[in-house]
């Protein structure tokens, strides 16, 4: 059992009780439903990525560069989250080195998504509030630089943990464990640091959401000459807000899980059911819906996506009209 300075952590108790359940006793749907959902939306993301890759104009437009990166990020997240989920359900012990790689990828991609959406909201804010300066402010080069900065920011916490482990206990990565992020901790301060980063991410993205969307809504409502454009802008703002809220809800996954554990008391079977529902509704579903909401709503990507989804059906006529 994992411990921090010799003390059993609450997270360790949660995961140990979950993993002690015999695989034969686990309901088959607890594997089939989330895995099938992940695979289905990975397939959808690939089609959307193929649609984006079919037109060179998407490589030159900041909002589509961000959207494409979000699709890749969420696809990787869904794939690796599904792999870890299956490994834990079996359960299959892994070396801490392999576990560290899996956790590092899922951790970074998990935190990338809301940060990317926050940048997307800023890009829309500039486009709507400063239309004449948008092309000079939001350039493809600056967009790629910002994406690189997002990766650095999202990986900072876990990179610190890895470096600390290499310095303090290099042979730590050779032992076998049931792979969870909490079991890679060596000291209590690492958990406190992780919580600090979570608060920083949550507050930062929340501030950006509040600022940009209030400004966009004010600007959209102030448009008097074109009511249709104003109405369309408000609908887009609402959908973006829902999308960001879905993504932000994933930050509460660990907190909800700990709360569910306390609510379930000594009932391991009840906690397994609650943990499964939490994983499905809070962690997986928002990642599946987020790219789909944005892609289908977009007037350029939506028709292209439907065109390729229907195997280039003549009933669907894609068009490329990027503003």
């Amino acid at each position: 059992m994992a411990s921090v300075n010799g003390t059993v952590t609450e997270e360790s108790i949660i995961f140990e009780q979950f993993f002690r359940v015999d695989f034969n006793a686990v309901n088959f749907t607890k594997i089939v439903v989330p895995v099938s959902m992940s695979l289905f939306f990975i397939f959808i993301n690939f089609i959307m990525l193929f649609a984006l890759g079919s037109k060179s104009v998407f490589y030159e437009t900041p909002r589509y560069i961000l959207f494409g990166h979000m699709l890749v990020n969420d696809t990787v997240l869904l794939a690796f989250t599904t792999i870890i989920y299956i490994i834990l359900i079996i359960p299959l012990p892994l070396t801490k080195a392999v576990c560290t790689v899996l956790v590092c990828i899922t951790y970074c991609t998990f935190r990338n998504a809301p940060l990317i959406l926050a940048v997307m909201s800023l890009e829309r804010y500039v486009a709507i509030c400063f239309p004449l300066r948008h092309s000079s402010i939001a350039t493809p080069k600056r967009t790629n630089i910002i994406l690189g900065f997002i990766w650095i920011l999202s990986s900072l916490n876990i990179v610190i943990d890895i470096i600390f482990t290499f310095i303090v206990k290099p042979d730590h990565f050779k032992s076998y464990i049931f792979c969870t992020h909490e079991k890679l901790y060596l000291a209590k301060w690492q958990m406190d640091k992780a919580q600090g980063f979570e608060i920083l991410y949550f507050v930062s993205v929340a501030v950006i959401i509040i600022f940009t969307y209030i400004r966009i809504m004010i600007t959209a409502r102030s448009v008097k000459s074109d009511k249709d454009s104003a109405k369309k802008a408000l609908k887009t703002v609402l959908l973006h807000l829902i999308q960001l809220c879905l993504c932000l809800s994933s930050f509460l996954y660990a907190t909800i899980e700990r709360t569910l554990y306390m609510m379930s008391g000594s009932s391991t079977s009840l906690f397994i059911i609650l943990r499964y529902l939490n994983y499905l509704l809070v962690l997986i579903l928002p990642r599946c819906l987020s790219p789909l909401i944005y892609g289908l709503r977009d007037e350029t990507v939506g028709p292209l996506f439907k065109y390729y989804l229907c195997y280039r059906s003549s009933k669907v006529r894609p068009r490329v009209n990027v503003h």
Side-chain angles (χ1 to χ4, degrees):
M1 183 178 294
S3 61
V4 177
N5 293 333
T7 304
V8 177
T9 64
E10 182 180 350
E11 287 82 359
S12 299
I13 296 174
I14 292 175
F15 287 112
E16 287 293 340
Q17 291 205 10
F18 179 70
F19 295 141
R20 281 175 185 166
V21 179
D22 184 16
F23 176 71
N24 295 327
V26 178
N27 194 313
F28 187 63
T29 58
K30 289 182 175 66
I31 299 177
V32 173
V33 173
V35 172
S36 299
M37 181 183 295
S38 296
L39 292 177
F40 173 75
F41 282 100
I42 287 173
F43 170 72
I44 294 296
N45 285 357
F46 270 115
I47 295 179
M48 208 168 292
L49 280 169
F50 185 78
L52 285 174
S54 64
K55 304 294 180 181
S56 61
V57 67
F58 293 129
Y59 299 101
E60 304 166 358
T61 308
R63 81 166 182 253
Y64 292 118
I65 293 174
L66 291 168
F67 178 53
H69 194 84
M70 183 180 70
L71 284 173
V72 173
N73 182 83
D74 283 358
T75 300
V76 173
L77 175 63
L78 285 173
F80 277 83
T81 302
T82 303
I83 291 171
I84 294 178
Y85 181 80
I86 294 172
I87 290 172
L88 297 184
I89 287 292
I90 292 178
L92 177 66
L94 299 174
T95 61
K96 289 184 178 179
V98 175
C99 178
T100 299
V101 173
L102 294 175
V103 168
C104 186
I105 294 173
T106 55
Y107 183 91
C108 293
T109 52
F110 181 79
R111 280 142 191 86
N112 275 346
L115 296 176
I116 294 172
L117 288 172
V119 175
M120 292 173 75
S121 71
L122 286 172
E123 187 274 334
R124 287 293 84 197
Y125 161 72
V126 173
I128 294 175
C129 299
F130 305 98
L132 298 179
R133 298 176 57 192
H134 176 256
S135 59
S136 60
I137 295 175
T139 63
K141 182 179 179 179
R142 287 181 179 177
T143 303
N144 290 321
I145 292 174
I146 291 174
L147 287 173
F149 178 75
I150 286 175
W151 274 96
I152 294 173
L153 185 62
S154 64
S155 62
L156 187 59
N157 177 50
I158 197 165
V159 167
I160 293 174
D161 289 336
I162 294 172
I163 293 174
F164 173 75
T165 303
F166 268 116
I167 295 174
V168 175
K169 195 176 181 181
D171 60 344
H172 179 72
F173 297 100
K174 297 179 181 179
S175 58
Y176 283 82
I177 59 169
F178 292 116
C179 187
T180 67
H181 190 184
E182 288 77 11
K183 294 197 176 185
L184 299 176
Y185 291 145
L186 293 179
K188 176 67 168 60
W189 66 265
Q190 290 177 280
M191 298 178 62
D192 296 334
K193 172 180 59 62
Q195 291 177 357
F197 271 100
E198 295 295 337
I199 294 173
L200 175 63
Y201 289 140
F202 185 86
V203 172
S204 299
V205 176
V207 168
I208 291 174
I209 293 171
I210 294 171
F211 171 75
T212 58
Y213 286 110
I214 288 179
R215 289 298 304 271
I216 291 173
M217 292 177 71
I218 291 174
T219 302
R221 291 187 178 186
S222 66
V223 177
K224 303 298 183 182
S225 59
D226 193 344
K227 295 293 185 181
D228 291 335
S229 296
K231 187 180 295 184
K232 178 182 175 182
L234 287 174
K235 288 182 179 178
T236 302
V237 168
L238 180 61
L239 286 175
H240 281 205
L241 183 60
I242 293 172
Q243 185 184 12
L244 283 164
C245 288
L246 283 173
C247 200
L248 281 174
S249 68
S250 300
F251 275 122
L252 303 176
Y253 174 75
T255 303
I256 294 174
E257 183 166 286
R258 282 190 285 270
T259 304
L260 293 175
Y261 174 72
M262 291 186 289
M263 289 174 56
S264 61
S266 59
S267 177
T268 304
S269 58
L270 176 60
F271 172 68
I272 291 172
I273 295 174
L274 294 176
R275 187 177 193 265
Y276 164 71
L277 292 175
N278 184 38
Y279 171 80
L280 198 65
L281 300 178
V282 178
L283 189 62
I284 294 297
L285 191 60
R287 302 302 190 187
C288 295
L289 294 179
S290 186
L292 197 60
I293 290 174
Y294 189 93
L296 290 179
R297 171 66 180 171
D298 190 90
E299 292 183 351
T300 304
V301 178
L304 270 174
F305 167 72
K306 295 174 184 177
Y307 174 71
Y308 288 111
L309 183 65
C310 299
Y311 298 100
R312 301 185 179 183
S313 172
S314 58
K315 296 180 180 180
V316 181
R317 295 184 178 180
R319 62 173 181 170
V320 177
N321 185 21
V322 180
H323 299 287

